Amino acid sequence: ANPPGIVKLLGESVLMKNGRDGASLVQVLNSTCATHPNFRVCDPGQALAASKKKGLKSDGRSGGYGLDYRECFLVNHYAGEVIYTVDGWVPKSIDGLSKHLSDVLRSSTESQVKELFEQEETMGNETVGKKFCTQLESLASTLETGETLFVRCIKSNPQMISGMVNRKEVLGQLVHGGVINALKMRHKGLPDRMSYEAFCFEYSGLENKKQWKKDYRVRCERLLREIFDDEAEQEQHFAFGLTKVFMKSHVNAFLRGINALRTRNVVKNVQRQWRGGTR
């Protein structure tokens, strides 16, 4: 089984009496998540570097550092490595009213208020992190039902000062977020894009049935190379990404045309056979 994640371990601490927080929580995270490729245990040098970068001064607990490395861990996100400081996470994660206040509101004579706080009782053990994950899963399900169009936000500088741009950090976010690669594809004039699965579903009628059990990407590459010559690929009329195929508009239009022609021929053959059988 996969080890529990950071949100789940934090949730367990919230439910514990005098739940572990700060250095004790980080110690649990370090022992549980240390083998994860995107998790890193924080050392004094990294805490010192982060303190200097953010202009933090020591509070007397961290041995001269602005951040206490024993209360920190690092996560490698798409936009780079981020250092997290665990300080008061448990009280901040509690997302429920105190029991006596909930009891008062549930005993309200107003039916709507009573009903609302009866639901609050059933959700009382949920943490901020758990609710966030539930909402995120719901959002992901909604996005998957449609075409994903969104604005990518870029953090211009770590000090969060208006009118200042840290070029190195902005470039890192653009590169790791895939924006640069997307712009390169646009520049090459490959506006039509399809996932390999969608491509195979759309154009399976143009394939040999023996290919249907193979990997979607393998099928896509084979079909395009069979229909178009090597020169078309060399001139980048189409390109293969990690999960999608990118095509110039005339490539996709040509595929749709021959697919529609094949469909009409199949329909005519079926009609001809049916009419011949009814005579």
Side-chain angles (χ1 to χ4, degrees), residues 114-178:
K114 184 176 181 179
E115 182 181 354
L116 179 63
F117 286 93
E118 282 176 351
Q119 295 174 4
E120 177 71 23
E121 183 180 23
T122 62
M123 300 171 65
N125 290 333
E126 291 190 0
T127 63
V128 172
K130 186 176 179 182
K131 287 184 178 180
F132 174 74
C133 289
T134 302
Q135 292 167 358
L136 200 60
E137 289 173 0
S138 175
L139 175 61
S141 299
T142 302
L143 291 176
E144 286 175 0
T145 61
E147 185 179 357
T148 308
L149 299 171
F150 59 93
V151 176
R152 186 175 296 279
C153 297
I154 300 296
K155 189 175 181 179
S156 60
N157 63 83
Q159 294 82 14
M160 294 184 287
I161 300 173
S162 62
M164 178 188 292
V165 176
N166 186 316
R167 294 188 177 186
K168 186 177 179 180
E169 288 216 1
V170 170
L171 179 60
Q173 293 174 68
L174 293 173
V175 170
H176 293 300

Side-chain angles (χ1 to χ4, degrees), residues 1-16 20 25 28-29 32-33 73 89-90 93 125-134 137:
N2 292 328
I6 294 171
V7 173
K8 186 173 182 180
L9 290 171
L10 176 60
E12 291 175 358
S13 294
V14 171
L15 297 177
M16 293 170 57
R20 50 189 178 234
L25 177 57
V28 174
L29 296 177
T32 307
C33 306
F73 64 90
W89 277 24
V90 167
S93 297
N125 290 333
E126 291 190 0
T127 63
V128 172
K130 186 176 179 182
K131 287 184 178 180
F132 174 74
C133 289
T134 302
E137 289 173 0

Side-chain angles (χ1 to χ4, degrees), residues 6 26 29-30 33-41 73-76:
I6 294 171
V26 172
L29 296 177
N30 289 344
C33 306
T35 57
H36 194 283
N38 292 324
F39 182 93
R40 289 184 62 189
V41 177
F73 64 90
L74 296 98
V75 174
N76 187 27

Side-chain angles (χ1 to χ4, degrees), residues 6 13 20-21 36 42 48 52 55 61 66 90 107 109 113 128-129 142 151 160 166 172 228 236 238 273:
I6 294 171
S13 294
R20 50 189 178 234
D21 203 346
H36 194 283
C42 185
L48 177 60
K52 287 182 177 179
R61 297 181 301 133
V90 167
S107 61
T109 55
V113 174
V128 172
T142 302
V151 176
M160 294 184 287
N166 186 316
F228 300 95
Q236 296 186 323
F238 54 87
Q273 292 175 13

Side-chain angles (χ1 to χ4, degrees), residues 26-85:
V26 172
Q27 191 173 8
V28 174
L29 296 177
N30 289 344
S31 60
T32 307
C33 306
T35 57
H36 194 283
N38 292 324
F39 182 93
R40 289 184 62 189
V41 177
C42 185
D43 60 42
Q46 290 166 327
L48 177 60
S51 300
K52 287 182 177 179
K53 188 175 182 180
K54 294 178 180 293
L56 300 176
K57 295 182 180 180
S58 173
D59 59 1
R61 297 181 301 133
S62 51
Y65 307 120
L67 296 175
D68 187 347
Y69 76 94
R70 293 164 297 187
E71 295 181 348
C72 299
F73 64 90
L74 296 98
V75 174
N76 187 27
H77 292 286
Y78 77 93
E81 202 168 60
V82 177
I83 186 168
Y84 289 90
T85 305

